[in-house]
Amino acid sequence: MSSNRISIILTSDKREQLQMAAMIASVGAVSGNEVTVFISMNALQYFLKDGPERAPAAGAMGEILERKKVPHFMTLFEQAVELGDAKILPCSMAMDVLEVGHQDMKPFVGEAMGLTTFLDDARDGQVWSF
Amino acid sequence: MTEKRVIDARGSFCPGPLMELIAGLKMMQVGEEAEVLSTDKGSANDIPEWVKKVGHAHIGTNEESGVWHVTVRKMK
């Protein structure tokens, strides 16, 4: 039996990567998959309540994304949770390093997760890294 | 015949129109229809795929001067 689990590791602070991860998370979650997004490293800041709204473009496409009416990556992550029951879980190590807690994160972000649990959960499905 | 709920997603890009449709479907009764307006060709192709996958009904798609009209019936 094939698994319908999609695990996404998001560490980038670049707009293109954040956008692609958000697209996979949202479309995956509303299409009957169990989606977990593990956020760490430079990506974590965007999920803070007072985090930056804009992400720097890595290349030309990122500039175009900003100009055109493309759904904002954070809107897509939120829709992944609200419409598709995706889980967006911050890396506990990144939380410790940044000295932030669950109360500092946006309301749709779940409890911190450790790498051991994430790797165990991700074992039987698709794993995407951005 | 009940009126169709029009979801105007013109100007938005993938997966914006799909997500707007899904948000709309949540507020609709089984049997009701939604018509998504999209200027994004990718979404016009993707929405029927999604509809088939999750078990709603794709009633039809037509294009009028660069705007795709995708009609979907909520089945569950």
Side-chain angles (χ1 to χ4, degrees), chain A residues 4-126:
Chain A
N4 64 348
R5 182 181 287 278
I6 294 176
S7 300
I8 299 170
I9 306 167
L10 178 58
T11 57
S12 174
D13 63 346
K14 296 296 184 285
R15 188 180 301 149
E16 291 89 332
Q17 271 89 344
L18 289 159
Q19 190 73 27
M20 198 67 232
M23 288 165 71
I24 294 184
S26 55
V27 176
V30 298
S31 304
N33 299 287
E34 211 176 304
V35 173
T36 300
V37 185
F38 186 65
I39 45 177
S40 190
M41 302 301 170
N42 296 321
L44 193 77
Q45 56 182 326
Y46 297 103
F47 295 86
L48 290 166
K49 274 182 191 154
D50 55 358
E53 212 176 283
R54 293 195 144 68
M61 188 70 182
E63 308 279 350
I64 300 169
L65 290 178
E66 179 78 10
R67 288 202 307 271
K68 297 227 173 171
K69 211 173 140 193
V70 175
H72 191 278
F73 58 83
M74 206 48 79
T75 306
L76 293 177
F77 281 125
E78 197 169 356
Q79 287 174 331
V81 174
E82 282 175 5
L83 303 174
D85 294 323
K87 290 192 195 108
I88 298 188
L89 307 175
C91 162
S92 51
M93 167 270 191
M95 301 270 284
D96 289 345
V97 171
L98 278 184
E99 299 180 16
V100 293
H102 182 65
Q103 71 283 355
D104 300 311
M105 309 303 291
K106 291 189 192 290
F108 61 89
V109 176
E111 294 287 343
M113 187 190 225
L115 201 46
T116 310
T117 313
F118 174 75
L119 289 175
D120 194 52
D121 282 2
R123 201 180 38 198
D124 298 323
Q126 304 176 48

